[in-house]
Amino acid sequence: MADAEFNPQSVDLDTADPRDIICYLNAGGNEYDGRLGARVSALFVILAASTATTLFPVLATRVRRLRIPLYVYLFARYFGAGVIIATAFIHLLDPAYGEIGPASCVGMTGGWAEYTWPPALALTSAMLIFLLDFLAEYYVERKYKMAHVEVEGTITSSGQGAAHTHHQGLHSADQDGAIPPLDQIQKADESANGRAPSEKPAAGDDLDIEELKDIESDSDKTAMGFQSQIAAFLILEFGVLFHSIIIGLNLGVVGDEFKTLYPVIVFHQAFEGLGIGARLSVIPFPKRFRWMPWALCLAYGLTTPIAIAIGLGVRTTYNSGSFTANVVSGILDAISAGILIYTGFVEMIARDFLFNPYRTQDKKRLAFMLVSLFLGTIIMALLGKWA
């Protein structure tokens, strides 16, 4: 914070401490300027928009009688993945630099000036998520006695190889149902599915993806997928929820910017919800936890409206530009950025597009998935101009 003797009306740039100038320029006060009715309406509009978009991918995979068209689901899933990645860089990491980075008031003060903290916090959180993901994978493989198989072993023992690739398929977009990299595994999988080796699975226009067969059951395959993925997802949602809390608080107290932020944040939260729902839609849940995906969707949908309500409760006293507010939001933004960077690139893109032995060979479908991914990234990045 600025020194007590700093006089903004009389500044000598040759002798003034740059920290005092930056802290003065960054210091904000309470900007609330009325429009209570519109702010209350934002609470309900964002609740409806964010909850609906989060629920859609989950409904598509768990309520099959809805007969969601395959391409509608694929758009929601990969558009949402692009949104998560853009959110990490544009809506979290960049604001963290503005709040606690080297050129900010906080970043020029005390120990904050000794190091560049936003990338360090993002790096730390990303590496911790990797460690958690690896330990979960290792635990599942040990628990279910799944050994890693070399290529030679896969060729001579198709059953063991198929077991391991199916474990990988639990993380991935198994779009075609059975297109493994090795002919031996393919024949084994086709036989297990009751098809002749030369028979191809029906494509169809409705959602019927192999990876979703055991999305909710009591099978070992479902338990394996749940145990290896749920911890990483909960941390992803944890990071997004903190971001949503900050957004809600600011929307409740912001001044003249409210008329611009209102519609932008509606789209922001809706798109972000689509990303959460897309990741959640492919996690298999044992029947005893069938309530969990719905509860997690509702948790995201409620977070921002509750934060807006809190912001309205302190609308005349809360200062989003204060030193303490910048420290808290900067730390949370940087940590959340690392979580979303890892989840977006590893859990949502690498496992679906790069390391998925069951990736679809349909060029049209692959192109559609990629276009949806980049469209989500571009649109969410553009929203960063306003929020």
Side-chain angles (χ1 to χ4, degrees), residues 64-83:
R64 296 303 184 85
R65 63 178 177 271
L66 293 178
R67 299 187 67 82
I68 302 296
L70 172 62
Y71 279 86
V72 173
Y73 169 74
L74 291 178
F75 175 80
R77 176 166 172 170
Y78 292 104
F79 183 91
V83 165

Side-chain angles (χ1 to χ4, degrees), residues 18-19 46 107 110 155 172 188 206 222 226 228 266 271 279 296 325 333:
R19 180 182 68 89
I46 291 175
I155 294 174
S172 307
D206 293 323
T222 299
F226 175 76
S228 64
V266 170
F271 292 157
R279 181 72 189 95
L296 292 171
D333 281 348

Side-chain angles (χ1 to χ4, degrees), residues 236-373:
L236 165 66
E237 181 154 5
F238 174 79
V240 172
L241 291 185
F242 269 126
H243 178 48
S244 298
I245 290 171
I246 295 170
I247 285 177
L249 283 172
N250 289 338
L251 190 62
V253 301
V254 73
D256 189 55
E257 295 177 352
F258 174 80
K259 60 182 180 292
T260 301
L261 285 179
Y262 185 174
V264 170
I265 288 178
V266 170
F267 284 105
H268 179 285
Q269 293 304 104
F271 292 157
E272 209 167 68
L274 202 59
I276 290 289
R279 181 72 189 95
L280 187 59
S281 70
V282 292
I283 298 178
F285 284 84
K287 286 187 176 179
R288 68 182 183 278
F289 293 124
R290 65 175 59 181
W291 55 269
M292 188 175 287
W294 313 106
L296 292 171
C297 290
L298 188 60
Y300 172 77
L302 286 172
T303 299
T304 301
I306 290 174
I308 293 173
I310 294 172
L312 291 176
V314 297
R315 60 187 181 275
T316 59
T317 57
Y318 177 71
N319 178 10
S320 60
S322 69
F323 188 90
T324 301
N326 278 323
V327 169
V328 173
S329 59
I331 291 174
L332 294 179
D333 281 348
I335 291 173
S336 299
I339 293 171
L340 268 62
I341 288 171
Y342 177 85
T343 301
F345 281 113
V346 176
E347 299 283 345
M348 291 181 156
I349 291 185
R351 277 178 170 155
D352 276 7
F353 288 97
L354 300 180
F355 307 122
N356 179 13
Y358 295 95
R359 185 183 63 238
T360 182
Q361 303 301 303
D362 185 332
K363 294 179 181 178
K364 177 185 174 184
R365 192 181 297 178
L366 275 174
F368 182 81
M369 291 157 57
L370 289 169
V371 169
S372 300
L373 174 70

Side-chain angles (χ1 to χ4, degrees), residues 14-307:
D14 291 326
T15 60
D17 187 341
R19 180 182 68 89
D20 292 337
I21 299 173
I22 294 296
C23 288
Y24 174 78
L25 293 175
N26 288 353
N30 181 268
E31 300 177 353
Y32 178 76
D33 62 355
R35 290 180 285 198
L36 182 60
R39 296 173 196 267
V40 172
S41 74
L43 189 155
F44 294 101
V45 171
I46 291 175
L47 172 63
S50 58
T51 303
T53 52
T54 310
L55 282 171
F56 175 76
V58 179
L59 284 168
T61 56
R62 286 174 167 78
V63 185
R64 296 303 184 85
R65 63 178 177 271
L66 293 178
R67 299 187 67 82
I68 302 296
L70 172 62
Y71 279 86
V72 173
Y73 169 74
L74 291 178
F75 175 80
R77 176 166 172 170
Y78 292 104
F79 183 91
V83 165
I84 290 295
I85 292 171
T87 297
F89 287 99
I90 306 299
H91 298 265
L92 290 171
L93 191 57
D94 181 66
Y97 272 97
E99 291 154 346
I100 61 173
S104 69
C105 175
V106 175
M108 293 182 172
T109 304
W112 293 101
E114 302 298 322
Y115 196 67
T116 176
W117 290 103
L121 292 171
L123 173 65
T124 301
S125 64
M127 293 305 294
L128 288 176
I129 297 303
F130 157 72
L131 181 61
L132 175 67
D133 202 18
F134 170 73
L135 291 176
E137 190 92 359
Y138 181 78
Y139 166 78
V140 169
E141 290 181 351
R142 289 293 296 267
K143 180 177 180 179
Y144 292 93
K145 298 180 173 59
M146 297 172 58
H148 283 280
V149 184
E150 301 296 335
V151 173
E152 294 82 2
T154 302
I155 294 174
T156 58
S157 178
S158 61
Q160 190 179 18
H164 184 66
T165 54
H166 274 307
H167 183 217
Q168 174 64 28
L170 289 171
H171 297 279
S172 307
D174 182 1
Q175 304 296 349
D176 284 343
I179 306 182
L182 299 174
D183 291 340
Q184 289 82 357
I185 300 176
Q186 183 176 21
K187 291 176 182 177
D189 286 347
E190 288 171 340
S191 299
N193 289 329
R195 296 198 305 271
S198 60
E199 182 184 353
K200 291 184 179 180
D205 292 327
D206 293 323
L207 182 60
D208 188 19
I209 299 176
E210 181 77 9
E211 68 173 322
L212 303 178
K213 287 198 313 182
D214 297 308
I215 202 72
E216 192 175 272
S217 71
D218 286 327
S219 67
D220 284 347
K221 185 177 179 181
T222 299
M224 287 159 47
F226 175 76
Q227 292 176 11
S228 64
Q229 297 181 65
I230 189 61
F233 173 80
L234 290 176
I235 294 176
L236 165 66
E237 181 154 5
F238 174 79
V240 172
L241 291 185
F242 269 126
H243 178 48
S244 298
I245 290 171
I246 295 170
I247 285 177
L249 283 172
N250 289 338
L251 190 62
V253 301
V254 73
D256 189 55
E257 295 177 352
F258 174 80
K259 60 182 180 292
T260 301
L261 285 179
Y262 185 174
V264 170
I265 288 178
V266 170
F267 284 105
H268 179 285
Q269 293 304 104
F271 292 157
E272 209 167 68
L274 202 59
I276 290 289
R279 181 72 189 95
L280 187 59
S281 70
V282 292
I283 298 178
F285 284 84
K287 286 187 176 179
R288 68 182 183 278
F289 293 124
R290 65 175 59 181
W291 55 269
M292 188 175 287
W294 313 106
L296 292 171
C297 290
L298 188 60
Y300 172 77
L302 286 172
T303 299
T304 301
I306 290 174

